[in-house]
Amino acid sequence: MKKTHKLYKYFLLSFVVILLDQAVKLLVHYNMDPGLAGEIKVLGSWLKIHYVLNPGMAFGLKLGSVYGKLILTLFRLLATVGIAYYMSLLVKRKAHTGLIWCVALILAGAVGNVVDSTFYGVFLNNAPAGSPTPWFHGQVIDMIYLDIWEGHLPKWLGGQYYALWPIFNIADSAIFLGVAVILVMQRRFFKDAEDKKQDNETNKDTTTPSAGTTAN
């Protein structure tokens, strides 16, 4: 019962982040116009709410195939199952709690974007034109725009208009935060795991009968 309760609280964090992510996406979808027409400035030109649809991966990358989106969505589904299983293993192995919280954030972000890809093509009718089926072809809703710099590049770099930062959503933020904290704290997170492994091996060696010893 104790292990189940521990696992439950991490999944609860994932569930809360997923709900928040989906609530914000639906609020944006039903209350904002896409693009510049519906843009809302929060902190001047630095932080804006800007509704866009992302048909592919992070930063708008795509797989160059008719079934590329389907492959991407199925991959996301498999990755989500893998992350959930990995988090369960971490709890079972009594890994550092900070590491498990970070994995819970990553899981939430993965699920949040999987929901968009799987269902939004049907329920929000936002699948790209020409999609073989609206299922698994939904476009991810992005809205958080950190506009650090935007403008035209110098002519010797092409002179094209360019925005420094991409537009993202709460699910992306959860993934980024989880990964960033793991990278910064990896020595502490994984040192504890290594110490526990060594302690278990030491305890095993001390309790294992030496060679040639027979039980009475």
Side-chain angles (χ1 to χ4, degrees), residues 37-55:
E39 185 175 274
I40 300 173
K41 293 184 178 181
V42 179
L43 293 175
S45 297
W46 294 93
L47 175 61
K48 297 179 283 190
I49 305 299
H50 185 105
Y51 178 16
V52 296
L53 294 175
N54 181 356

Side-chain angles (χ1 to χ4, degrees), residues 178-209:
V179 172
V181 174
I182 289 174
L183 290 175
V184 172
M185 302 293 292
Q186 58 180 314
R187 288 189 177 181
R188 181 174 180 181
F189 287 169
F190 296 104
K191 181 179 182 298
D192 288 356
E194 186 64 27
D195 290 344
K196 288 180 181 179
K197 181 179 178 181
Q198 291 177 358
D199 291 341
N200 291 335
E201 290 177 351
T202 301
N203 293 333
K204 183 178 179 181
D205 291 340
T206 57
T207 55
T208 300

Side-chain angles (χ1 to χ4, degrees), residues 49-179:
I49 305 299
H50 185 105
Y51 178 16
V52 296
L53 294 175
N54 181 356
M57 300 177 282
F59 308 110
L61 299 176
K62 304 177 185 179
L63 293 177
S65 168
V66 176
Y67 297 98
K69 179 65 176 181
L70 177 60
I71 295 171
L72 175 61
T73 302
L74 293 177
F75 173 78
R76 281 174 167 166
L77 285 169
L78 291 174
T80 299
V81 173
I83 295 169
Y85 177 70
Y86 178 61
M87 188 170 74
S88 302
L89 286 180
L90 290 176
V91 172
K92 184 177 180 181
R93 295 171 181 174
K94 298 181 179 180
H96 194 288
T97 55
L99 174 61
I100 306 175
W101 287 121
C102 288
V103 174
L105 285 175
I106 295 171
L107 175 63
V111 173
N113 286 332
V114 162
V115 170
D116 297 31
S117 298
T118 305
F119 301 108
Y120 279 10
V122 176
F123 298 112
L124 298 186
N125 194 30
N126 74 357
S131 298
T133 170
W135 291 103
F136 304 106
H137 285 80
Q139 299 188 74
V140 175
I141 294 177
D142 291 333
M143 78 294 295
I144 304 172
Y145 188 8
L146 288 177
D147 191 1
I148 305 301
W149 179 86
E150 61 179 322
H152 289 85
L153 296 173
K155 291 183 178 180
W156 58 276
L157 286 176
Q160 296 180 339
Y161 177 83
Y162 184 76
L164 181 59
W165 288 99
I167 304 173
F168 54 96
N169 55 44
I170 291 177
D172 298 329
S173 302
I175 294 173
F176 176 82
L177 180 60
V179 172

